[in-house]
Amino acid sequence: MTISYSWLNSFFKKPLPQPEKLAEILTMHSFENESIEKKKNDWILNIDVLPDRGGDCFSHLGVARECAAILNLKMDCPSIKLKEGKGKIRDFLKVEVRDGNCRRYSARVITNVKIGPSPKWVADKLANCGLNPINNVVDAANFVMLELGQPLHAFDYDKIEGKKIIARKAKPNENIVLLNDNECILDKKTMVIADEKRALAIAGIKGGKAAEISEETRTVVLESASFDPKTIGQTARKLNLRTDASARFEHNLDPNLTELALERLSQLIVEWAKGEVVSGTIDVYEEKTKPGKIKLELSLLNKVLGIVIPQSEAISILNRLGIKILSKTNKAVLLEIPTFRQDLLIPENIVEEVGRIYGYEKIPSILPGIKEYPVERNNLDFFINKSKDVLKELDFTEVYNYSFLGDKEKEKYKLKAEEIKNPVSSFAKYLRPSLIPLLVKNIEENLKWFESVKIFELGKVFWGQDRKISEKMMLSGGISSKKEKAFLRLKGEIIFLLEQLGVKKIAFEKGTKDSMFSDSLDVIINGEKAGRMGQTAFNVFCFELDFNVLMKHVGEEKEYEKISYHPPATRDISGTVKEKVSLEDLKERIKQGGRGLIKGLEVFDVYQGPGIGKGKKSVSFHIIFQSEEKTLDAETIDKIQKEIIKILSEQLGWEERK
């Protein structure tokens, strides 16, 4: 918005601050000033009016009101004194509004005008604000638009057919030649101002040549109207015709402004064009815009702004903004919002108004208080994330599969799976009872592009009976590699995972063969079966762990042992025991006879079959001996090993194999 500094000063008896200072004040409290330019004997401010304030501040009056509120100055607006003639307007003109998007239409008639140039000071003001002077009538309309914000239009009365103004929708393909000589073809959604035969103007946007003011004009019809902002905006964009008038109407002008602007325009035409005002005004205004009411809790000011503004100061600011106090208590005020401030709708809008006029720079910069409340940790989420992190450290990649299987997986692994009533496809007919089938499928697909694959998934599996579905969380993974000992590597990675989760007693026992695993080991944690691992396809090895069982044995306690400076020594022992003897029992007896010198103990072979005997199994252990005090010699280790074998034999029926 282009604003004349001298024009602003005309609204006050006391001079405003110097242009640069005033620009700074407006920037801090209302709108940013983009530039200041010296033109002849005036300063021109280029103010960036915010979109929600276009309705009241696209004018010198609106910006002057802002200056008055900020600087606590009393405005001295030009007085309007209008002497009417003897004729009555109803004898000259009729107005009919057929389009509801015309919210108000006000009109006056002035006779005996003398068209000519405007006074020099008027032409200079218009030119400084970016408008070209034309003649004293048109310039008066533009002057009032810049002064009050209300667009106006003047028609040559003698060119109006039927002496009737009609606000209506355009006829299909109706054409109009505009004041700039451009021709527009209109559609039935466009609102026009017309006489009984033709369109005289595109409502709220641009006038036409048909009733243009010329040097021969002697009687003028003055239009001051209010239009629906959405309709004007849509028409301006559709016709690619954005004018000073449309820019103002698009921002929801106050319909109550039309009368004031019309009186001001009539006054100026009488002064500048020596016209005579016909008595009376035509004013079509069915749904009147009334002042709004907002109840403001005074505590909201302090709550939102973060500072205590004295009640008297807040009320003073509201009065300076033209907001009336209808009633007041110690806790709240009931406010009447002037119709020119149609952007003020809720209490928070009022708080913003008080804050900006008071001065945001007066609000101290204080970091917000932060209260820390300890949040109880969700152990399940913690160990889920920790499990994923450990597996990622082991170079596994996490995958996400759908919770459904098709006939192919169900038949291949002979799964008992619950069928879905309305499956999205034949590949998703069943709820998955295991994560492994789709993991194997993922591995086989990726082996087309990579030599080795390591993936895992943590998700729910489902099983049911009589349509009652149960679910549990499973952690499954798989590897495939052409390298040897992939099975042993996977076993070691499972042990590492469990140890990182704080699991203390880990054992592996011979598992049973089924359609899922051709060869498997059961994973035992503290004597409870927690899952299994084994070979599921050629060169593909997988594991699955019941996460619900795992959660019973996880922990975060860690035991740190001093690193011995003395070298370790290794021994292997092999023997047969009854099949019912668990590996955990064997490990306990070995540690019992180890005199505290066993630093590592691992089962590396379990065998049942020909040559062993019915009901028996062969087990081989790898034992690491190490002392923190001295280097163990062969004689000492042999003696300890004999004690271990003796304990195994006496307590568990161990028969050593040479």
Side-chain angles (χ1 to χ4, degrees):
M1 177 67 190
T2 302
I3 294 294
S4 162
Y5 175 72
S6 65
W7 203 336
L8 281 183
N9 266 301
S10 69
F11 287 93
F12 302 95
K13 290 182 178 179
K14 293 182 179 181
L16 292 171
Q18 291 300 306
E20 290 187 358
K21 181 62 178 177
L22 181 63
E24 181 183 343
I25 291 171
L26 288 172
T27 297
M28 293 297 293
H29 295 273
S30 300
F31 317 116
E32 184 177 355
N33 182 72
E34 296 182 344
S35 65
I36 302 176
E37 184 181 359
K38 184 76 166 65
K39 285 190 176 181
K40 296 183 179 179
N41 59 343
D42 200 0
W43 290 91
I44 303 301
L45 284 68
N46 189 8
I47 297 173
D48 185 14
V49 177
L50 299 174
D52 63 330
R53 297 298 306 279
D56 69 298
C57 284
F58 276 170
S59 67
H60 284 76
L61 174 64
V63 177
R65 278 195 294 245
E66 287 292 300
C67 295
I70 298 166
L71 299 170
N72 195 12
L73 298 175
K74 187 176 180 180
M75 292 183 64
D76 183 28
C77 295
S79 60
I80 300 175
K81 296 179 181 179
L82 198 62
K83 183 180 179 180
E84 295 182 332
K86 294 181 181 180
K88 295 182 179 180
I89 194 169
R90 66 172 178 263
D91 297 329
F92 282 80
L93 185 71
K94 292 182 180 180
V95 172
E96 182 182 352
V97 175
R98 299 177 185 173
D99 191 336
N101 291 313
C102 178
R103 302 190 296 186
R104 185 179 188 182
Y105 197 97
S106 304
R108 266 195 180 277
V109 175
I110 300 181
T111 62
N112 298 322
V113 297
K114 295 179 180 179
I115 305 299
S118 299
K120 185 177 183 304
W121 69 270
V122 174
D124 289 343
K125 273 200 181 332
L126 294 177
N128 287 344
C129 293
L131 295 180
N132 293 322
I134 298 174
N135 58 54
N136 46 12
V137 171
V138 174
D139 291 352
N142 286 335
F143 185 93
V144 176
M145 179 183 70
L146 294 179
E147 182 180 54
L148 304 181
Q150 172 68 43
L152 303 113
H153 193 71
F155 299 102
D156 187 326
Y157 173 78
D158 295 320
K159 297 176 183 177
I160 298 175
E161 297 287 345
K163 309 309 176 189
K164 186 177 184 179
I165 294 289
I166 304 169
R168 61 170 173 82
K169 288 282 195 299
K171 300 172 184 177
N173 297 319
E174 184 172 8
N175 74 311
I176 182 173
V177 178
L178 301 176
L179 290 171
N180 58 7
D181 294 324
N182 290 338
E183 184 177 359
C184 282
I185 306 299
L186 310 177
D187 59 28
K188 60 182 180 180
K189 292 183 179 181
T190 303
M191 182 167 50
V192 296
I193 305 301
D195 58 18
E196 289 188 339
K197 291 187 177 180
R198 61 203 166 165
L200 304 178
I202 301 175
I205 299 176
K206 192 79 173 176
K209 297 280 285 186
E212 179 184 14
I213 301 296
S214 66
E215 292 181 358
E216 289 76 28
T217 300
R218 293 295 174 263
T219 302
V220 296
V221 175
L222 305 182
E223 169 194 285
S224 182
S226 179
F227 304 107
D228 174 63
K230 184 177 179 181
T231 300
I232 300 301
Q234 290 175 341
T235 302
R237 286 189 293 274
K238 180 171 59 180
L239 298 176
N240 193 24
L241 188 63
R242 196 166 190 271
T243 62
D244 291 312
S246 69
R248 286 166 172 79
F249 282 124
E250 286 176 26
H251 288 83
N252 199 20
L253 286 176
D254 177 12
N256 294 320
L257 181 59
T258 64
E259 187 176 5
L260 173 66
L262 187 60
E263 297 301 290
R264 176 64 167 158
L265 175 59
S266 299
Q267 178 193 33
L268 295 181
I269 291 178
V270 169
E271 291 179 6
W272 301 346
K274 308 302 179 183
E276 297 177 9
V277 181
V278 172
S279 178
T281 302
I282 295 176
D283 191 15
V284 182
Y285 191 18
E286 294 185 0
E287 296 184 13
K288 294 187 177 181
T289 300
K290 298 179 180 180
K293 290 181 175 61
I294 295 177
K295 183 180 180 181
L296 173 66
E297 300 288 340
L298 294 172
S299 60
L300 187 65
L301 284 170
N302 304 333
K303 182 179 179 181
V304 174
L305 296 176
I307 58 171
V308 177
I309 296 179
Q311 187 180 33
S312 59
E313 176 72 7
I315 290 175
S316 171
I317 290 171
L318 293 174
N319 287 328
R320 281 143 54 186
L321 288 166
I323 299 172
K324 293 182 181 179
I325 312 297
L326 297 179
S327 63
K328 178 179 67 173
T329 66
N330 291 332
K331 294 184 178 180
V333 289
L334 181 62
L335 307 174
E336 182 181 86
I337 311 302
T339 56
F340 63 79
R341 288 303 304 272
Q342 296 185 60
D343 59 305
L344 302 182
L345 303 172
I346 58 176
E348 285 75 9
N349 295 145
I350 304 299
V351 172
E352 182 183 8
E353 289 298 292
V354 173
R356 71 181 183 83
I357 299 299
Y358 180 76
Y360 289 134
E361 72 279 3
K362 295 179 183 177
I363 301 175
S365 299
I366 301 174
L367 290 174
I370 300 175
K371 294 183 180 180
E372 294 185 3
Y373 297 98
V375 179
E376 184 178 350
R377 188 178 76 179
N378 185 314
N379 275 336
L380 178 61
D381 287 343
F382 176 81
F383 283 104
I384 283 176
N385 291 329
K386 188 168 184 179
S387 301
K388 292 181 178 181
D389 290 341
V390 172
L391 288 170
K392 289 172 186 176
E393 289 175 10
L394 292 170
D395 206 26
F396 280 84
T397 298
E398 185 176 10
V399 299
Y400 295 89
N401 286 308
Y402 289 113
S403 298
F404 311 106
L405 300 172
D407 287 321
K408 182 179 179 181
E409 290 81 19
K410 182 177 182 293
E411 293 171 4
K412 178 179 179 180
Y413 297 100
K414 299 179 182 178
L415 300 172
K416 294 181 180 180
E418 287 297 311
E419 187 172 358
I420 300 169
K421 284 186 177 180
N422 299 304
V424 294
S425 74
S426 60
F427 301 104
K429 289 177 63 177
Y430 308 96
L431 289 170
R432 64 183 181 187
S434 172
L435 304 178
I436 288 179
L438 292 181
L439 284 176
V440 173
K441 186 177 180 181
N442 296 149
I443 291 172
E444 290 174 344
E445 287 295 321
N446 279 277
L447 283 174
K448 297 176 181 178
W449 312 100
F450 306 100
E451 290 188 0
S452 61
V453 179
K454 295 177 72 174
I455 59 174
F456 78 93
E457 182 176 11
L458 202 159
K460 291 181 179 180
V461 298
F462 309 89
W463 73 96
Q465 188 174 5
D466 300 328
R467 305 303 297 175
K468 293 182 180 178
I469 304 298
S470 300
E471 61 182 44
K472 64 180 176 181
M473 187 78 72
M474 296 293 289
L475 174 60
S476 298
I479 66 173
S480 179
S481 176
K482 296 179 180 179
K483 297 179 182 179
E484 298 179 357
K485 299 183 179 180
F487 180 88
L488 291 177
R489 188 171 76 251
L490 180 61
K491 181 182 175 185
E493 289 171 339
I494 294 172
I495 293 171
F496 180 79
L497 168 65
L498 297 177
E499 287 177 344
Q500 292 299 306
L501 296 178
V503 176
K504 298 294 183 183
K505 297 181 179 180
I506 307 165
F508 294 86
E509 294 184 357
K510 184 70 175 180
T512 57
K513 294 182 180 180
D514 57 23
S515 57
M516 189 80 72
F517 290 96
S518 60
D519 191 14
S520 68
L521 291 177
D522 291 336
V523 181
I524 310 298
I525 298 175
N526 291 328
E528 182 179 8
K529 183 178 177 180
R532 57 180 179 163
M533 63 160 291
Q535 187 169 3
T536 55
F538 179 71
N539 276 342
V540 177
F541 301 90
C542 294
F543 72 88
E544 59 180 5
L545 297 172
D546 186 331
F547 213 80
N548 298 327
V549 174
L550 197 59
M551 284 297 296
K552 298 178 186 178
H553 306 285
V554 295
E556 292 187 87
E557 294 182 1
K558 295 183 181 292
E559 295 181 3
Y560 295 92
E561 295 181 357
K562 183 180 178 181
I563 298 174
S564 175
Y565 293 100
H566 304 285
T570 59
R571 290 287 190 275
D572 292 339
I573 62 171
S574 297
T576 59
V577 290
K578 292 181 179 180
E579 186 178 351
K580 64 180 182 180
V581 177
S582 69
L583 296 177
E584 198 62 36
D585 287 340
L586 289 169
K587 285 184 176 182
E588 286 182 7
R589 300 309 188 279
I590 293 172
K591 291 178 180 178
Q592 181 183 335
R595 300 181 186 178
L597 298 175
I598 297 177
K599 298 299 181 182
L601 178 60
E602 182 183 12
V603 178
F604 68 86
D605 185 56
V606 178
Y607 173 72
Q608 288 176 276
I612 298 302
K614 188 176 181 181
K616 290 189 176 184
K617 61 183 176 183
S618 172
V619 185
S620 299
F621 290 94
H622 187 68
I623 306 173
I624 300 175
F625 297 95
Q626 190 177 31
S627 171
E628 295 180 3
E629 299 175 353
K630 62 180 181 179
T631 300
L632 299 175
D633 54 32
E635 183 180 348
T636 302
I637 295 172
D638 289 342
K639 187 176 181 180
I640 296 172
Q641 186 170 335
K642 287 178 182 180
E643 290 179 12
I644 291 171
I645 292 172
K646 181 180 178 182
I647 292 172
L648 290 172
S649 299
E650 292 176 354
Q651 297 184 17
L652 299 176
W654 174 275
E655 294 180 7
E656 187 178 9
R657 296 181 65 192
K658 301 293 185 180

